[in-house]
Amino acid sequence: MKVRESGMPDEDVWKGFFEPNKILKMLSLNDKAADVADFGSGYGTFTIPVAKIISGKVCAIDIEPEMIEITEQKAKAENLNNVETVLRDFISEGSGLEDESVDYVLLANILHLEGPEKLLREANRILRPNGNVVIIHWNYDPATPRGPPMEIRPTPEKCIEWAISSGFSNPDKYDLKPYHYGIVLSKEW
Ligand SMILES: C[S@@+](CC[C@H](N)C(=O)[O-])C[C@H]1O[C@@H](n2cnc3c(N)ncnc32)[C@H](O)[C@@H]1O
């Protein structure tokens, strides 16, 4: 089942909302992270920059064949052989990744789904001890140029509450100007 309100605008519009490299640097993603899972990877806006930083591979999961195709083409064009794309519905099927198999899980612009704690628990399951979940989402502000309706848009405080009840701790919050916030939490073990 596709996440509610998770359709994408044209890529030219979408990429104007972020500076992925700056964001990843702020969130301390570096080559100490071997493997990363990107849930709902879309155009690969984060997948591709992540692949260039980490020492292992990034697994980009999306339900839309078009998004997977675009991400694959980008990886090929940049000669990145550490991008693994997975066409899959992570809501009904889970990620398909093994327990304790990644160092970072990226949940970018996706946590407005129904049942966010189920997804956070899946993230927790696949993370290695000391792994991190990274939540990026639209500011809780109706003036942002896009983003889910306010009725279903989570506040950072709500994301932290869900993550803590799903087995994470030590939240660090970041202001990812102009339109987003970021939260990094650690897997409790
Ligand atoms: C709002 S976009 C965010 C894309 C990317 N994370 C970013 O921030 O640039 C959400 C993405 O999640 C994908 N998606 C929605 N429901 C999904 C599901 N059940 N399983 C896998 N991917 C899903 C959509 O196809 C879309 O590409």
Side-chain angles (χ1 to χ4, degrees):
M1 188 182 66
K2 192 164 173 175
V3 170
R4 57 187 177 175
E5 303 286 342
S6 68
M8 294 287 266
D10 284 350
E11 188 172 4
D12 279 348
V13 174
W14 188 253
K15 72 183 182 200
F17 297 141
F18 310 95
E19 289 184 66
N21 283 314
K22 197 170 153 191
I23 287 178
L24 293 170
K25 203 170 174 185
M26 280 178 79
L27 301 180
S28 308
L29 189 84
N30 55 40
D31 61 4
K32 283 193 192 132
D35 302 306
V36 174
D38 185 2
F39 281 49
S41 44
Y43 293 116
T45 307
F46 292 98
T47 309
I48 299 298
V50 164
K52 293 179 187 170
I53 295 171
I54 58 172
S55 55
K57 71 168 191 218
V58 52
C59 177
I61 307 170
D62 207 284
I63 198 171
E64 290 288 350
E66 187 195 352
M67 295 294 147
I68 291 294
E69 174 73 30
I70 290 171
T71 303
E72 277 174 3
Q73 281 171 6
K74 284 182 180 171
K76 199 170 166 196
E78 303 231 32
N79 284 323
L80 294 168
N81 54 17
N82 63 341
V83 176
E84 184 180 303
T85 54
V86 179
L87 179 64
R88 190 174 175 102
D89 176 350
F90 57 63
I91 292 187
S92 55
E93 301 174 86
S95 67
L97 296 173
E98 291 188 9
D99 290 357
E100 301 191 0
S101 58
V102 301
D103 304 289
Y104 259 72
V105 174
L106 191 52
L107 303 177
N109 300 300
I110 203 78
L111 219 54
H112 54 282
L113 80 170
E114 282 171 288
E117 285 156 303
K118 186 176 170 208
L119 189 64
L120 284 159
R121 282 196 299 274
E122 173 66 357
N124 195 278
R125 180 187 70 76
I126 65 171
L127 277 168
R128 295 184 176 122
N130 281 333
N132 295 111
V133 66
V134 178
I135 298 165
I136 295 172
H137 218 309
W138 290 96
N139 287 340
Y140 192 73
D141 173 0
T144 55
R146 208 181 154 90
M150 296 308 287
E151 303 80 60
I152 61 166
R153 197 184 296 202
T155 60
E157 293 74 26
K158 202 72 201 163
C159 293
I160 290 172
E161 189 185 313
W162 291 329
I164 287 177
S165 71
S166 308
F168 292 97
S169 59
N170 299 323
D172 279 327
K173 201 179 144 216
Y174 300 84
D175 185 359
L176 309 177
K177 287 182 192 310
Y179 303 124
H180 290 77
Y181 59 85
I183 307 166
V184 181
L185 297 105
S186 312
K187 175 172 175 163
E188 271 187 349
W189 60 290

